[in-house]
Amino acid sequence: MKKKLLFSLLYFTLSLFATRAQVATVSGKVVSEADNYALSGATIENKSSGAKTTSKADGTFAIEATKGQTLAVSFVGYTSQNVIVSGSYVSVALALFEKTGEEVVVTAFGVKKQKKSLGFATQEIQAKDLTRERSTSFVNGLQGKVAGLVINQSGGTPGAGASIILRGIKSLDPGSNNQPLIILDGLPISNSSNAGSVLPSAGSNSIGSNEQFSTTNRGLDINPDDIESISVLKGAGATALYGLEGANGVIVITTKKGVAGKLSLNLTASYAFDDVTKYPEIQKLYREGFNGRVRFNADGSPNRFQTYGPPVTDEVFYNNQNDFFDLGFRANHSLGLSAGNDKTTFYGSISSTNHKGIIPGSKLDRYTFRINPTIKINDKITLTTASTFITSETVKPSSGDKGVISALSFYTPTFNVNDYLNADGSMKVFSPGIIDNPRYVGIYSTMREKVFRAIGNISFNYKIAPWIMLDYKLGGDYYGENRTRIVPGPRYLGDPTILDLAAGTGGFINLERINFKDVNSNLFITLTKKLSKDFDGSLMLGNSVQSTTTDYTLNRGERFSAPNIYDIAYTTNLYANAQLTRKGLVAAFADAKIGYKNALFLNITGRNDWTSTLPKNNRSYFYPGASLSYVFTELHNITNKWLSYGKLRLSASQVGKDAAPYRNGPYYNSANGFPFGNIPGIVLSREYNDPNLKPERTNSYEGGLEVKLLNNRLGFDVSIYSQTSKEQIIGVPVSAPSGFDLYTTNAGSIRNDGIELLMNGIIVKSNKIKWNATLNWSKNKSEVLQIRDDIKEIVFSSSDGRIINKLVVGGSAGDLYGRKYQRNAGGQLLITPVTNSVTGKVEGLPIAEAAFTKVGNALPDWIGSIGTDVTWKNITLSGLLEYKKGGDLYDVGLRNRIRNGTDKTTENRYQSVIFNGALANGTPNTLPVYLDEIFYRSENNYNGAAEVLLQDASWLRLRNVTLSYNLTSKLLSKTKIIKGASISASANNFILWTPYKGFDPESTSYGSGSNAFGFTGFNVPGTSNYVFSLNINL
Amino acid sequence: MKKIFIKHSFFLLLLLNIVSCKKILDVNQNPNKATDITLPGLLPAVIEATSNNHYTTANSTCIFAQQLAAYSGGPLSIDRNNNVRLSTPFTTIYSNTLNNVMAMINLAKEKQAPHYEGMGKILLALNLGLATDVFGNIPYSEAFKGTANLSPKYDKQEDIYTAIQTLLSEAITLLGQPVGVNKPTTDDLSYAGNASRWIKLANVLKARYALHLTKSGAVAAANQALTFLAAGGFTSNADDFQLNYNSRNLNPWHRNIAIGTTTGNFTITHSRKFLDGMNGITYPGIIDPRLPLIADKGTAATFNGIVNGTGVNGNTNITANTFFAKDISPIIMVSYAEQKLIEAEANFLVNAGTTTSTGSTAACYAAYRVAIGTNMDKIGVTTINRDAYLALPLVDVTAAGIKLEHIMREKFIALYLNPEVWTDVRRYDYNNTIFRGIAIPTSQDPLMGAQFIRRSLYPLDEIAKNPNATIEESAIVAPTGSLKLAAKLWWDQ
């Protein structure tokens, strides 16, 4: 496969130079009407001769044509235009979203369809919008630009993962994947987040692997500058053809293609600074200590752990929460190259991203290389290959409990956190053995991930007859990921400052190796036929085969035996683990479409999947779908100046989802912690899998209305959907005395209902000024309809157990439970007299309930954004304002800061207050409470109550403001080399309004690869970026 | 030519596609997991799990018995008896142990391996004992049936006790049979396949669980215990049923408690009541040489435990400097010292001994003295210190002067970190003339009405999953003025 690819690449490269240029042409340029942005890859067709070409990176093209002939110019996302040739130069400005219906969008399997024929909602993001913020990952570039799409960030460390949720959570199971499928060049690629296993055998490490290193989602490997457009297929109607792979929605990436003409180069350079967006407020009145005094150990050494000491007098006070962070810096260089003739076109790119994080020592270096030749073998056969190679190295600090941010939240302000090194190379820390210096941890206890990835595909396009098209694609996605986590042991014999992370193990090294391989084959035949004067019909028949293998090995060595060398060969205890996971999927599908008068379209789809992960007799399953598009303005010839376009769409479809691999058995496990000495132990698995597992099914219904008003100046697009996922494959927790803990079976259903609104308007349209605005708004509501008759709830990862995320029948995905303050029947705070163990006085305390009740929900009530572009001459100013309503968050960092007396809220201390409430007998409370550390640290009242711990994480943020300047062609023509250039400056995520205390609430602990929501505090905080970029076309 | 080549290669690919489908789909067999289970694989796993259960149980019950006390957080809530639901021992006993023990017994039966079967039954009895003494009624007869019964009912404690004795008797018979081809050796992490030691263990356990029933007839229970011991119990510390940990498989007290003390994560430590009983405060004149082997006071001048429920003002810790919490320390599940103290107590009771009476037989007194000496030898007290302690007037009380208090005081110390002590404390109703210094924890949940904790409630997790747990819990009757946590178990009534 690899050899073949290489050979064909060589062939194409050679043929590129062997071809000759054309003569007698009409030249021209295609730009976007809104902002004069050059459109590369637009199709220009001579309607008379049938000759076709595409525009180059700078928008220019050349085509054989004579005066009077008509050129049809089309481009994804834009309205097609017919231009009559009147001279030797043609200038075409295509309008975006203006004349609706004629624009084409990319749908399932990369098939371009007229938007008006679609009976379901899709949304397209163009390259210039996607890359405006110059995000390292395309996933982050989608933020705030698509209605119904929620992105969960996992923090500001370079390479931090992000997860995407489209139209709500569809699978209840904690281990289930709820993320959309990513399609690149028509074939799926992996966007997985492999949390792996980063834990040692003993010690006080954070429990989750995921939260410790903000596991990267592999979508990071794609160079955003290679992307031409992204089409987001949201509902089951749009994704039905993808079957179970598309159950969570599909993100279809269309890459840039080479265009015929002379070699053209596109160079982009951007430089960005990262800074923490928002900091928690700390108290500045008290120094380290306990009970208001400086504290000492029994042996006379200072015990500085808490910050409940005496008032600050003239000690230096450090703002560690701020000073700890560096200014991050990111440089991105990307070179795109395009060339070709009418037979062969070529696109290639190289890019580099070098990102230094805000935590000292953290970084990401990514290099990508892509070649994408297309060859027209003859009029009937076109051959395309694309190869992408990515290599990256990421260094992430230990986060999670005991990690950098956890240690920082405890760090007392009377010691400088950045003074981290002793002369002998050991850690300098204010409270040795109890808290680590986060800077030292960040530098010396890291995870280094090295990735090599190759994505390649070869595609044949064979026009058997004018009405039969055959398409075949074969693709491979391979990556190898080497992760090395090091927690240093003592630096020398008797080093007193052994890291908290190394307690119990004497330091350890984790070597994880992940080899991922995915091979895909797609075949489809499309038949198109005009059935009568009014009816058009098309039928697509397809087959796809996918085989995925993940090979994981872990070697861990514990207890370093020699100082200053952290290699597995110098460890005493070795542990190893391996897991090979294989999965296969075969599918056959059909898509029939019938159009009436080019205004009413009925689309029927069907797909049958055969999956390896279900029992043989259940592994084949079929699901149907139907959608209708009714362009009423066209069908009934409604045209007036108010209503320019109107379309109604309806769709109903079903998609399925299979199980994770190996949900069969029975299997037996190596006993936990074994071998014991050298004796192995084998035990029963705690999981039992239903031998009759069936696929999950999601039934979706969607309706939408699209209208254009006021001569296309104002557009509305509303979608309403309801999707019910039934017979979910859930690991149902069962009573341990039954013999196991988890019973994986078909159980439970969840319904997601939602509404998405898209509005765009052209506010000002004159020769000099163009001003557009877009609004995205979406709301998704979910309800757990059923789990299992005998199961009431599913509890997700619960961090420290003070706030937990669980699914309860009748509740919603993302529901958070906590312990509220006890209240009496009248709703008054119930005050309990409790003896203060230090003062011996009876105090009137509000106490948290023992029972957990619903206290919030982690998912937003709704999200909305407003984007706008103003172009004046060559200057464009654009902005994106985003609002998230609701979505509660438990910040474990706040808990720590309160517990340790560093948070601003604890500044109010060492005084007596009387809580407004009533005693059990109903009399008003008169008992004061002394606000000391016992009060703030108590898990059963202040520091355990949901009212204190759970915060509303609604926010309004200025996601982006960009000012760009297009250098005029007049200016550039003097250079003779430069065809186009622009410079821009952006600020991303730099203004944030939120009631939330703490770092930017956008990042959560379990960002990617997890279904647990609502927790934060241990991850590297989110950042604001200030970007300067330059784009040159040669 | 080119065209033909492309056409042909295309159809070849298509063909490959169809042929490979079956191969692509038949890949759902996990290559990294065992599909068979063996007796030598199960036995070490269940011994280790049983040992760990002693840790998970004692971690809380030794707080109730006031050997230990909590610093803060969850353990402090337990110390203050706030909504006690010991989910960890419930999980480790049911999820990691009993299911595997049952599998081992069934497999041993199938493979005709009587010794494995016998060991399995002893381990089953021991784990059922741990669970029932914390939770009372527990699932057993309907448990471990998989999907056939996802909500097993709870058996009465009385029936569990009957089952324990039956299992132990059956085990003794099985272990007396010829070993056959399936012979346990190094996979028996405690006794290396020595069947006679397992039989001794069964006898000691029969005596232990018989003596638990003193409240329904002290003399009968004591006689029963003595009869079982007469059938052949331990003869020295070498017979102790324990698991020795190593530097790779760390002792749970070391791993979970001692390591934490080196990183500022203080969870539980010694109770003031416990240490005061050993350092001359409760019993002026008794300075117990075991004290420094049990508690690490660092550089502090005196051993100060935490007064239960306060969470503060202690200066000792469970560290790697103590006998019990080194990385390689054993967990002692059943000891010769315990057996001798059962013997002493049983003899005391048989000879008309009561909680207030003085004097007993020479056999009672001798067992008491052997227990002290053997326990001191076990944990490394020097001979000189041991003999000096045995000669102290408050220890060397003679057969005529011995009281129940003396026996139980020694048992309280000798069974440090063993869940048995809470059972002893409850059997004598937290009597503070026997367990001197024992008192209602400070800041105890006021709803407990100043009554002692007698049991744990069922874990919320189990209640959420098994409707029978709800039925059981609602059937518990809280004593007047208190909570269900103060309700006495069947043998405690």
Side-chain angles (χ1 to χ4, degrees), chain A residues 201 433 580 664 668 673 677 686 737, chain B residues 28 32 34 99 144 249 255 262-263:
Chain A
S201 66
L580 178 72
N664 48 5
Y668 302 100
R686 297 303 303 146
Chain B
N28 209 30
N32 301 94
N99 51 332
F144 319 112
N249 306 91
R255 173 206 287 269
T262 67
T263 62

Side-chain angles (χ1 to χ4, degrees), chain A residues 942-954:
Chain A
Y942 191 79
N943 210 348
E947 285 91 335
V948 176
L949 298 178
L950 194 67
Q951 301 185 64
D952 175 10
S954 298

